[in-house]
Amino acid sequence: MRSIWNGAISFGLVTIPIKLVNATESHAVSFRQIHTEDGGRIRYRKVCELEDREVSQAEIGKAYEDADGSMIPITDEDLSQLPIPTARTIEIVAFVPEDRIDPLQMGSAYYLAASGAPAAKPYTLLREALKRSNRVAIAKFALRGRERLGMLRVVGDAIAMHGLLWPDEVRAPEGVAPEGGVTVRDQELDLADALMDTLGEIDLDDLHDEYREAVEEVVAAKAAGERPPEAREEAAQGKVLDLMAALESSVRAARESRDGEETAPAEKAEVRSLPQRKTSSRRAPKETGGKKSTSTAAKKTAAKKAEPKKSTAKSAAPAKKTTAKGTAKKAAGRSTAKETAKSTGSTGSTGKNTAKKTASRRRTA
């Protein structure tokens, strides 16, 4: 990484030579201005208003415009002799907890690289001191013609510096909040909390610039002489009139989306709309290893066709069997009784004959 500023960190009586490098980079797609009729580039030329001619970079200097419109020339030598200690030094003025810094003040980010072997020891000392104290360093430094405020903190094994706005450069949020008394019910807060919990957390590394990717696709398509992809038409959303209904719908949609992500396969996940199940009660009989007779299959099919009467049919079958068994038992009992009666009758007649014979014998005697 190319350094944009060379200087030193002033840490009390300790001086740490460093190089300032950009910690961020822009991936935005840049465009050029062209003449729409012939595609020619539109360029800006630096022209002197008094002479009405184009001037080179070597002829251009700085000036301060006064209130009356007059120009006061300022040279680089004038700026280099400013009586400030931060011209080439990042002067640490305090150490504070990180939560004391308002995020509204934070601006550009830089990495501070140790400049040469002699800077390694004091650089490591400052880094470890920041780690152990759980604090950040507030410093002043001069860059691009002005003194700035910075915050030094540890990022991995490096020291990073965030440019900070001066406190008087941050506007107060007056007139931003809604005017008038607006009350929020506890039920609405509960639903908002539920929505926050359902959405959960996210890994910031998974986020990407979809607009830039879409622009790159359009550029690639036009470069290949193809038709650029068209945007998908999204369904128009109606006006939200009921905040509670909107929160409930949001919670429900977020839960369905989160459940779908958790149950989806990890590789080559494809979301398809499942067909609705038919309500027909006809179902094919299950096939098993053994062969079933046609009559049995027909009986099962007929029974399944009348699914609403399954419970009645099942309860009626045992009843019929029980009735049949009872009838058979009664019939068997009746036949047994008849046979017993017959046998009893024959036995009775035999007894009567025997008694008659015995009586006649006694009379004869």
Side-chain angles (χ1 to χ4, degrees):
M1 291 183 286
R2 186 175 61 88
S3 63
I4 61 174
W5 185 86
N6 294 331
I9 299 176
S10 175
F11 178 30
L13 297 179
V14 179
T15 300
I16 311 171
I18 55 95
K19 295 179 181 179
L20 193 68
V21 296
N22 285 319
T24 61
E25 58 186 3
S26 175
H27 293 163
V29 179
S30 59
F31 296 101
R32 302 293 186 184
Q33 291 185 334
I34 61 171
H35 189 198
T36 55
E37 293 184 1
D38 54 17
R41 281 280 305 274
I42 302 297
R43 298 181 181 273
Y44 293 96
R45 303 185 186 277
K46 298 179 179 180
V47 178
C48 176
E49 293 182 350
L50 298 179
E51 299 181 6
D52 194 17
R53 69 176 181 89
E54 185 178 355
V55 296
S56 63
Q57 185 64 34
E59 300 177 86
I60 300 175
K62 300 183 183 70
Y64 176 81
E65 185 177 2
D66 205 353
D68 58 359
S70 61
M71 297 295 176
I72 304 174
I74 302 295
T75 64
D76 292 338
E77 185 179 358
D78 295 334
L79 296 176
S80 63
Q81 294 179 358
L82 291 177
I84 57 174
T86 57
R88 284 291 174 185
T89 305
I90 299 175
E91 183 184 6
I92 296 177
V93 296
F95 292 90
V96 299
E98 189 173 359
D99 58 5
R100 287 270 305 275
I101 306 301
D102 189 346
L104 288 174
Q105 290 183 254
M106 299 180 68
S108 302
Y110 309 93
Y111 286 132
L112 303 180
S115 181
K121 183 65 178 285
Y123 184 96
T124 305
L125 172 65
L126 176 60
R127 182 190 66 197
E128 296 303 317
L130 290 173
K131 279 185 180 180
R132 192 166 71 171
S133 65
N134 291 324
R135 289 181 291 179
V136 296
I138 303 300
K140 290 181 178 182
F141 65 102
L143 182 64
R144 297 188 180 97
R146 55 170 295 194
E147 188 176 46
R148 302 170 185 264
L149 195 63
M151 178 189 75
L152 278 64
R153 68 185 185 96
V154 178
V155 177
D157 292 333
I159 299 176
M161 182 173 68
H162 296 268
L164 298 179
L165 298 174
W166 296 98
D168 58 356
E169 293 179 324
V170 179
R171 293 179 176 178
E174 295 179 357
V176 178
E179 297 181 359
V182 179
T183 58
V184 179
R185 294 180 294 173
D186 291 339
Q187 294 85 346
E188 294 169 342
L189 285 174
D190 294 339
L191 284 173
D193 291 340
L195 179 57
M196 294 168 63
D197 294 337
T198 305
L199 292 176
E201 298 181 357
I202 191 172
D203 188 356
L204 294 180
D205 293 334
D206 295 337
L207 301 178
H208 56 279
D209 189 350
E210 297 181 3
Y211 178 80
R212 176 177 60 86
E213 294 176 356
V215 171
E216 290 176 348
E217 290 180 4
V218 171
V219 172
K222 299 201 74 173
E226 300 175 356
R227 185 176 181 180
E230 296 180 355
R232 294 177 299 177
E233 294 184 0
E234 298 182 358
Q237 298 181 354
K239 295 182 179 180
V240 179
L241 300 179
D242 188 352
L243 181 58
M244 287 289 292
L247 287 171
E248 291 173 354
S249 300
S250 300
V251 172
R252 183 166 53 253
R255 285 176 179 170
E256 292 175 356
S257 176
R258 182 55 57 91
D259 293 341
E261 292 177 359
E262 291 177 354
T263 57
E267 297 181 358
K268 295 182 180 180
E270 184 177 0
V271 180
R272 295 182 179 178
S273 58
L274 296 175
Q276 295 182 353
R277 293 184 177 180
K278 297 181 179 180
T279 56
S280 174
S281 59
R282 297 184 179 182
R283 295 181 183 175
K286 296 182 179 178
E287 295 183 359
T288 56
K291 294 183 179 180
K292 293 187 177 181
S293 63
T294 308
S295 59
T296 306
K299 288 179 181 179
K300 289 191 174 182
T301 306
K304 289 183 177 181
K305 285 182 179 180
E307 282 184 358
K309 298 182 180 180
K310 278 184 179 179
S311 59
T312 309
K314 288 182 180 179
S315 59
K320 288 181 180 180
K321 290 181 181 180
T322 306
T323 306
K325 288 182 180 179
T327 306
K329 287 183 179 180
K330 287 181 180 179
R334 288 176 183 173
S335 60
T336 304
K338 286 181 180 181
E339 291 178 359
T340 305
K342 286 181 181 180
S343 61
T344 305
S346 59
T347 305
S349 60
T350 305
K352 287 181 180 180
N353 293 334
T354 304
K356 286 180 180 180
K357 288 180 180 182
T358 305
S360 60
R361 285 177 183 178
R362 285 178 181 178
R363 288 176 184 176
T364 306

